[in-house]
Every structure is written in C-alpha cells, then in structure tokens.
Amino acid sequence: EEQYYSEQHSSLINKAYQTLLSPLSRGLYLLELNGVEPVQETDCDADSVFLTEIMEINEKLAEPKSEAILEDIETLIKVKQEELTKELTAAFER
C-alpha cells in the first residue's frame, strides 16, 4: 500500500516538474490557477508578421546550408525568443 502511494505521488511530482520546467506549460498553468481560460488559436488567428518571419526562416533553412547561415538563423531565433518571452512576462505581470 505504501509503495502504491509512493508511486502515485512520484508520478504527480514528475508531472508537476515537467509542467513547471517549460515556460509555455508553466504559463498556461499559471493562467489556469488564476481562472483564465486561454483562447485556442488557429493558424488563421496568428499574427501575420510572426507567420511571415517563420516562413522566411524556413526558406533560409531550405537553401544550401553554410555554417554562417545556420549561425545567423540561430541568432535570429534566440533574439525572437527573448523578445517573445519579455512580452509574455510583461503580459503576466499586467
């Protein structure tokens, strides 16, 4: 009985850890705790500028790859990720 109890709680702890590990799942969980139901977006609801950026990155990845191009893409993605994280953090604080 104790082993079963331990396994169940271990499973819950692992699930909680995985939820809190990812910024997206952590944010969604925090919204849920505060009674906010996130809107389920579809591709047609997404920001057209953001979608254009993604398409440009995909086009660059389809081109013949050189180390410089891949580094540029990696830098671009990291910068965009930081921008979006800051925007999301500000939105949560509001």
Side-chain angles (χ1 to χ4, degrees), residues 6 9-10 14 18 20 30-31 36 38 45 51 53-54 58 69-70 74 76 79-82 84 87 89-90 93:
S6 295
H9 281 82
S10 177
N14 287 333
Q18 291 302 317
L20 297 175
L30 290 171
L31 287 173
V36 177
D45 297 332
L51 290 176
E53 290 174 358
I54 297 300
N58 284 334
I69 291 174
L70 293 176
E74 181 180 17
L76 178 67
V79 168
K80 188 64 179 176
Q81 184 179 16
E82 288 176 13
L84 293 171
E87 288 178 25
T89 299
E93 289 175 358

Side-chain angles (χ1 to χ4, degrees), residues 3-69:
Q3 184 176 0
Y4 174 78
Y5 182 78
S6 295
E7 288 172 0
Q8 292 300 314
H9 281 82
S10 177
S11 174
L12 290 173
I13 290 170
N14 287 333
K15 183 177 179 185
Y17 177 76
Q18 291 302 317
T19 298
L20 297 175
L21 188 62
S22 162
L24 178 60
S25 63
R26 182 173 58 244
L28 291 172
Y29 178 71
L30 290 171
L31 287 173
E32 184 182 321
L33 280 179
N34 288 292
V36 177
E37 183 68 31
V39 177
Q40 298 296 322
E41 291 189 30
T42 62
D43 286 345
C44 62
D45 297 332
D47 181 7
S48 63
V49 173
F50 180 70
L51 290 176
T52 302
E53 290 174 358
I54 297 300
M55 287 175 52
E56 289 172 359
I57 289 171
N58 284 334
E59 288 172 3
K60 287 181 183 179
L61 288 171
E63 296 171 3
K65 294 166 186 61
S66 72
E67 192 67 31
I69 291 174

